[in-house]
């Protein structure tokens, strides 16, 4: 059978299977391979919310989505061009998002009676007309893998773990890709496990050779490199970009970085990643709960460090009182809220822009806190750097908003040079000739940052209302009104220190202005570019500062 090569401008692929099927690994390797080809890309891993969900069930389905293109793209894609389903549950959970006429690659071994029952199928969908709208590529991936590995001294369960490499090899054949970078990755990953290494490489090649020799599929696809702005790029997720932004802010402010946090999805990775940078003076502390975490951060800020914590919506609820303490103490710190769906525990692994009102108003009394929201995985770097700059410059706690879509999604990032980043000037109070006044202010209403232990700078701390200038405890209503208004005006003055809002897509004048914030940026921009190209007078501006 003659193989036809077909060019595609863009492709969306979804890998789906059980949590143990290695779909995240396959997706990551296909992403790295795609990046080498020069395509623009966006990814989004889709994790199960339940810990150890039963294998074969809908709750246990894990997925990885990649959108790659020869033009610049802004999302991980909508409906899939290709769906890889390793079992019947993966098919049932994702088939509705596969385009009509799309390619459906299934592992027939995952459609036995047990898997069908666990997925809630009364009959095998592979034998029915319901899949006639798709290009079905149906083969026993498990059997093919076992046959390729029959000479390797591994148990059957270990051999079956390599079936994800068989799928990856087949996709590499379909998109005319080299296997070299994945083989290099496997050699490094399994350097001390030669049998496992041999099994994975053989499975990878078996999948590729199956595409080459089986004649089940006669078309190969090619996506040309995208015309991106020249420069040095790397792939980055939102959480990793956040970590790099925090490190950059630490260096630019010449302050040690402290992170006190309690693990919570999808923010835990920030704590994990920062713990790897002890060589850069980073201190990390895994607290026993969310309240302890924010209190350690307040202590670190009081001690003169760049202090941050990372959490999600439920953690923000627990941190509310202590955040009010940071407001009344007027100390700089950054709270990274990596949002997820709520309320309560909600859907821990599913994204949602659910915490804006909580970030704005979720504290007792009048406790204004500025908010900086990121708009893409790579934008997390600049946004959290800016959150740190504002906190340190204006002596305020700042909330940085990201979410699960940005945190786990990845895209190419043209990373900046250190010299291109703005300096963050930090000035600590010094002993003067007169008695220290902890709430004396400059023209921006910023109070001095006094480090404890400095002779002559002794002052009161605590959550009780402070007297203006002296910082003594005060129950006077007029003073309370004055201090409340000063704290609010100080936050409002930050507007003088940020860029003017600009139009992102479209003309300065038109019929409709679409205003967005956060991770809606990619979707809004993609849609509006098409509408503007069609002649509509529509524009978009996207908010970072809230």
């Amino acid at each position: 059978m003659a193989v036809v090569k077909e060019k595609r401008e863009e492709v969306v692929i979804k890998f789906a299977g059980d949590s143990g099927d290695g779909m995240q690994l396959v997706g990551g390797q296909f992403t790295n391979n795609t990046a080498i080809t020069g395509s623009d890309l966006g990814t989004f891993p889709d994790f199960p919310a339940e810990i150890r969900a039963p294998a074969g069930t809908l709750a246990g389905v894990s997925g990885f989505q990649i959108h790659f293109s020869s033009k610049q793209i802004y999302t991980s894609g909508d409906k899939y061009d290709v769906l890889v389903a390793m079992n019947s549950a993966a098919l049932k959970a994702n088939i509705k998002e596969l385009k009509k006429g799309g390619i459906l690659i299934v592992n027939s071994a995952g459609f036995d009676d047990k898997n069908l029952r666990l997925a809630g199928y009364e009959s095998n969908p592979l034998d029915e007309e319901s899949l006639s709208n798709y290009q079905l590529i149906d083969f026993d991936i498990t059997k093919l893998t076992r046959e390729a590995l029959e000479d390797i001294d591994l148990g059957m369960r270990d051999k079956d773990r390599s079936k994800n490499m068989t799928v990856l090899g087949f996709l590499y054949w379909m998109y005319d890709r080299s296997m070299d970078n994945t083989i290099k990755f496997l050699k490094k990953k399994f350097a001390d496990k030669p049998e496992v290494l041999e099994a994975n490489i053989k499975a990878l090649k078996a999948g590729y050779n199956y595409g080459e020799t089986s004649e089940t599929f006669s078309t190969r696809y090619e996506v040309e490199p995208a015309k991106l702005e020249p420069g040095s790029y790397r792939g980055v997720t939102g959480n990793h970009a956040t970590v790099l932004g925090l490190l950059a802010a630490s260096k630019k402010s010449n302050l040690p970085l402290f992170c006190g946090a309690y693990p919570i999805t999808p923010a835990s990775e920030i704590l994990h990643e920062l713990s790897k940078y002890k060589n850069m003076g980073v201190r990390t502390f895994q607290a026993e709960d969310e309240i302890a975490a924010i209190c350690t951060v307040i202590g670190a800020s009081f001690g003169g460090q760049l202090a941050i914590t990372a959490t999600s919506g439920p953690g923000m609820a627990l941190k509310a009182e202590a955040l009010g303490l940071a407001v009344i103490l007027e100390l700089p710190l950054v709270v990274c809220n990596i949002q997820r769906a709520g309320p309560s525990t909600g859907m821990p692994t599913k994204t949602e822009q659910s915490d804006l009102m909580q970030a704005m108003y979720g504290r007792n009394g009048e406790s204004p806190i500025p908010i900086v929201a990121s708009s893409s995985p790579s934008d997390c770097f600049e946004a959290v750097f800016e959150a740190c700059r504002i906190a340190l410059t204006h002596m305020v706690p700042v909330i940085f908003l990201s979410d699960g879509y940005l945190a786990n999604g990845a895209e190419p990032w043209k990373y900046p040079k250190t010299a291109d980043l703005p300096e963050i000037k930090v000035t600590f109070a010094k002993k003067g000739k007169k008695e220290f006044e902890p709430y004396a202010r400059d023209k921006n209403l910023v109070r001095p940052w006094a480090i404890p232990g400095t002779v002559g700078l002794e002052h009161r701390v605590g959550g009780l209302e402070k007297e203006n200038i002296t910082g003594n405890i005060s129950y006077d209503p007029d003073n309370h009104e004055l201090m409340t208004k000063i704290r609010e005006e100080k936050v409002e003055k930050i507007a003088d220190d940020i860029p003017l809002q600009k139009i992102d897509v479209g003309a300065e004048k038109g019929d409709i202005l679409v205003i967005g914030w956060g991770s809606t940026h990619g979707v809004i921009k993609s849609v509006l570019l098409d509408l503007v190209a069609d002649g509509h007078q529509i524009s978009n501006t996207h908010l970072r500062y809230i």
Side-chain angles (χ1 to χ4, degrees):
M1 183 187 296
V3 176
V4 178
K5 262 199 177 182
E6 185 177 309
K7 286 192 177 183
R8 290 286 179 89
E9 185 176 64
E10 58 184 317
V11 176
V12 178
I13 300 176
K14 178 66 175 285
F15 299 92
D18 263 327
S19 294
D21 283 339
M23 294 296 96
Q24 309 300 330
L25 179 62
V26 165
Q29 282 303 298
F30 193 87
T31 299
N32 293 340
N33 189 289
T34 300
I36 292 171
T37 69
S39 296
D40 195 14
L41 62 88
T43 72
F44 184 65
D46 184 14
F47 304 102
E50 298 178 30
I51 300 173
R52 299 185 183 276
T57 64
L58 294 176
V61 174
S62 177
F64 189 99
Q65 184 171 327
I66 175 171
H67 179 197
F68 56 104
S69 176
S70 58
K71 64 178 183 179
Q72 194 166 3
I73 56 176
Y74 305 98
T75 73
S76 58
D78 295 318
K79 288 188 175 295
Y80 323 136
D81 298 289
V82 180
L83 171 62
V84 177
M86 298 298 285
N87 62 12
S88 50
L91 176 70
K92 191 170 189 177
N94 291 280
I95 188 63
K96 64 181 180 296
E97 299 299 333
L98 181 61
K99 295 176 182 176
K100 285 188 176 181
I103 299 169
L104 175 59
I105 303 170
V106 300
N107 178 17
S108 59
F111 288 76
D112 57 15
D113 290 342
K114 180 182 178 181
N115 275 287
L116 291 170
R117 175 174 51 80
L118 289 170
Y121 279 115
E122 294 182 359
S123 58
N124 193 336
L126 303 183
D127 300 330
E128 299 173 353
E129 290 295 316
S130 60
L131 300 181
S132 60
N133 289 326
Y134 312 108
Q135 301 178 59
L136 178 61
I137 304 175
D138 168 18
F139 64 105
D140 193 332
I141 297 171
T142 303
K143 181 181 178 182
L144 179 62
T145 304
R146 290 176 179 177
E147 290 175 348
L149 308 183
E150 60 183 353
D151 296 331
I152 297 179
D153 187 20
L154 285 173
M156 196 60 71
R157 179 177 293 183
D158 290 327
K159 288 181 179 180
D160 287 350
R161 286 176 179 165
S162 299
K163 63 181 181 288
N164 61 339
M165 288 295 112
T166 306
V167 170
L168 183 60
F170 183 75
L171 266 293
Y172 282 170
W173 175 84
M174 184 184 295
Y175 286 94
D176 198 16
R177 303 281 184 81
S178 169
M179 296 180 283
D180 291 347
N181 68 305
T182 295
I183 292 173
K184 183 178 179 181
F185 163 81
L186 292 171
K187 286 180 178 179
K188 183 177 181 181
K189 182 177 178 64
F190 299 116
D192 56 347
K193 297 178 180 179
E195 294 87 359
V196 177
L197 172 61
E198 184 183 5
N200 278 274
I201 292 177
K202 277 195 169 184
L204 182 72
K205 292 181 177 179
Y208 192 95
N209 293 335
Y210 181 82
E212 190 79 44
T213 62
S214 66
E215 298 187 349
T216 57
F217 197 65
S218 60
T219 306
R220 301 177 82 178
Y221 299 99
E222 180 185 358
V223 177
E224 294 182 344
K227 295 178 175 62
L228 300 176
E229 183 182 346
S232 298
Y233 287 80
R234 62 175 292 176
V236 70
T237 66
N239 273 348
H240 195 194
T242 299
V243 167
L244 295 176
L246 292 169
L247 293 171
S250 172
K251 289 300 176 183
K252 283 294 184 176
S253 62
N254 290 313
L255 295 178
L257 177 62
F258 174 85
C259 174
Y262 180 76
I264 183 171
T265 303
S268 302
E269 189 181 14
I270 294 174
L271 175 64
H272 299 162
E273 285 295 314
L274 281 174
S275 69
K276 300 175 183 178
Y277 290 94
K278 293 181 177 65
N279 62 311
M280 295 181 65
V282 177
R283 296 180 178 90
T284 53
F285 174 68
Q286 181 173 318
E288 63 268 30
D289 56 43
E290 295 282 5
I291 299 172
I294 184 64
C295 289
T296 63
V297 169
I298 291 173
S301 175
F302 183 55
Q305 301 193 22
L306 172 56
I308 74 105
T309 186
T311 188
S312 193
M316 290 294 292
L318 292 169
K319 294 179 189 294
E321 181 184 1
L323 271 174
L325 175 61
V327 169
I328 203 169
L329 294 177
E330 301 184 44
L331 286 173
L333 58 89
V334 175
V335 180
C336 301
N337 179 5
I338 317 302
Q339 302 163 91
R340 71 191 206 190
S344 186
T345 304
M347 297 186 287
T349 61
K350 310 304 177 186
T351 196
E352 192 171 83
Q353 287 189 189
S354 55
D355 299 341
L356 180 60
M357 293 298 105
Q358 180 191 43
M360 293 176 70
Y361 306 116
R363 293 164 297 282
N364 63 299
E366 298 179 66
S367 306
I369 292 181
I371 300 164
V372 180
S374 53
S375 59
S376 73
S378 62
D379 182 59
C380 289
F381 175 89
E382 291 186 11
V384 80
F385 183 93
E386 179 69 348
C388 293
R389 186 192 69 82
I390 290 173
L392 295 170
T393 304
H394 295 272
M395 288 289 287
V396 291
V398 177
I399 294 174
F400 163 72
L401 288 181
S402 177
D403 59 45
Y405 179 80
L406 300 180
N408 297 320
E411 64 181 359
W413 173 45
K414 184 185 177 185
Y415 53 89
K417 295 181 179 179
T418 304
D420 297 333
L421 298 175
E423 296 296 329
I424 302 176
K425 187 176 181 180
V426 175
T427 303
F428 293 117
K430 297 180 180 179
K431 182 181 178 182
K433 294 182 179 180
K434 61 179 182 178
E435 185 177 353
F436 178 59
E437 297 174 334
Y439 285 87
R441 303 174 186 277
D442 64 14
K443 63 179 181 179
N444 292 318
L445 303 180
V446 176
R447 82 169 188 90
W449 194 357
I451 304 302
T454 305
V455 176
L457 301 186
E458 296 86 356
H459 61 285
R460 292 178 180 272
V461 294
L464 295 174
E465 181 62 279
K466 308 293 185 293
E467 184 180 64
N468 188 31
I469 307 297
T470 69
N472 295 329
I473 294 172
S474 173
Y475 292 98
D476 179 70
D478 292 334
N479 177 79
H480 175 57
E481 181 182 13
L482 173 65
M483 294 297 280
T484 299
K485 288 183 176 180
I486 287 175
R487 287 189 290 262
E488 179 182 19
E489 186 180 354
K490 183 174 76 165
V491 171
E492 289 177 349
K493 278 182 171 292
I494 295 172
D496 299 330
D497 188 31
I498 61 176
L500 294 175
Q501 194 67 28
K502 294 182 179 179
I503 296 297
D504 187 35
V505 175
E508 293 287 334
K509 294 183 178 180
D511 298 329
I512 299 174
L513 177 65
V514 178
I515 301 175
W517 72 276
S519 60
T520 60
H521 175 260
V523 175
I524 293 172
K525 187 164 187 173
S526 298
V527 172
L528 261 65
L529 285 171
D530 289 341
L531 291 173
V532 169
D534 289 342
H536 294 280
Q537 299 299 307
I538 186 169
S539 302
N540 159 243
T541 189
H542 210 74
L543 303 179
R544 166 171 284 180
Y545 307 92
I546 304 172

